Amino acid sequence: MSKPRTSDDVCENHRTQKYTLSENVRRVFWLFGSMLFRITPRPCFALRRGLLRVFGAELGRGVRTYPSTFVYFPWNLKVGDYSSFGEWVLVYNLGRVTIGNRVTISQRAHLCAGTHDYRVPTMPLLKLPIEIEDDAWICADAFIGPNVRVGARAIVAARGVVVKDAPADTIVGGNPARKIKAREA
């Protein structure tokens, strides 16, 4: 059993340097870049791809994002060819988020590549990766947690909460997500 947190632990957490100077500078510039991203007309996918690339995202051909898509740190995002993000997708990518080819991230999905280590009283920030492999589909309102891999051709059902790897060619759903069935060809 861990010891209870104290106000000293919380203060130590607040004093901890969570980002490098370089990251903080990029965050300030991205604040302004993201405002421009948000006001782009809906059909201007190429313009939004360009903005994300300027801020360090690695994007393949034909990637589609909408103005309401929120990418926390573009420099921690790698996306393969012809993948798409629906309206109001949140990519909280403190850690690296890697998305394969032809992946669909449906509206209001949340990719969360950061958490805190609850086992340590100061709860340090953990920046853990997410990987979503080729041809996967993350359905509406789904949550993908840190340090999770969604296998090729896997489907995460609407509102599914994935906190452990989802194997290739499976359909998972629920909270926490469990295998529903195999994905058929």
Side-chain angles (χ1 to χ4, degrees):
M1 189 153 122
S2 63
K3 71 176 191 164
R5 292 180 72 199
T6 67
S7 58
D8 289 340
D9 295 330
V10 173
C11 290
E12 184 179 338
N13 175 282
H14 289 183
R15 283 190 301 269
T16 302
Q17 179 79 21
K18 294 173 182 66
Y19 303 102
T20 65
L21 177 61
S22 171
E23 284 176 317
N24 280 328
V25 168
R26 287 186 284 179
R27 289 175 73 189
V28 169
F29 283 110
W30 175 237
L31 174 69
F32 295 105
S34 67
M35 285 190 253
L36 182 57
F37 185 96
R38 286 223 179 280
I39 64 169
T40 58
R42 194 170 192 271
C44 294
F45 299 108
L47 178 57
R48 285 186 294 279
R49 276 193 304 272
L51 272 169
L52 288 169
R53 285 179 178 135
V54 163
F55 286 93
E58 298 174 53
L59 303 178
R61 291 171 303 193
V63 171
R64 290 184 152 216
T65 61
Y66 289 93
S68 60
T69 301
F70 187 83
V71 177
Y72 203 74
F73 290 161
W75 51 91
N76 280 345
L77 181 63
K78 181 177 181 179
V79 183
D81 296 339
Y82 305 107
S83 291
S84 63
F85 297 80
E87 296 277 5
W88 301 105
V89 167
L90 172 57
V91 182
Y92 187 65
N93 55 338
L94 301 183
R96 182 82 163 161
V97 171
T98 304
I99 296 170
N101 299 308
R102 300 169 307 279
V103 171
T104 299
I105 313 287
S106 293
Q107 67 274 12
R108 297 192 184 276
H110 181 173
L111 310 181
C112 183
T115 188
H116 294 271
D117 189 346
Y118 67 90
R119 298 165 298 182
V120 178
T122 58
M123 292 184 61
L125 185 62
L126 301 175
K127 302 171 185 178
L128 302 170
I130 291 174
E131 183 174 356
I132 301 173
E133 296 179 349
D134 295 349
D135 301 303
W137 177 17
I138 311 302
C139 296
D141 283 316
F143 175 88
I144 309 299
N147 210 27
V148 164
R149 172 177 286 179
V150 176
R153 294 181 26 84
I155 297 173
V156 176
R159 297 244 168 141
V161 177
V162 182
V163 293
K164 293 183 180 175
D165 292 354
D169 294 305
T170 60
I171 301 172
V172 301
N175 181 3
R178 291 183 175 89
K179 181 178 176 180
I180 297 171
K181 65 180 186 175
R183 181 175 180 179
E184 299 166 13

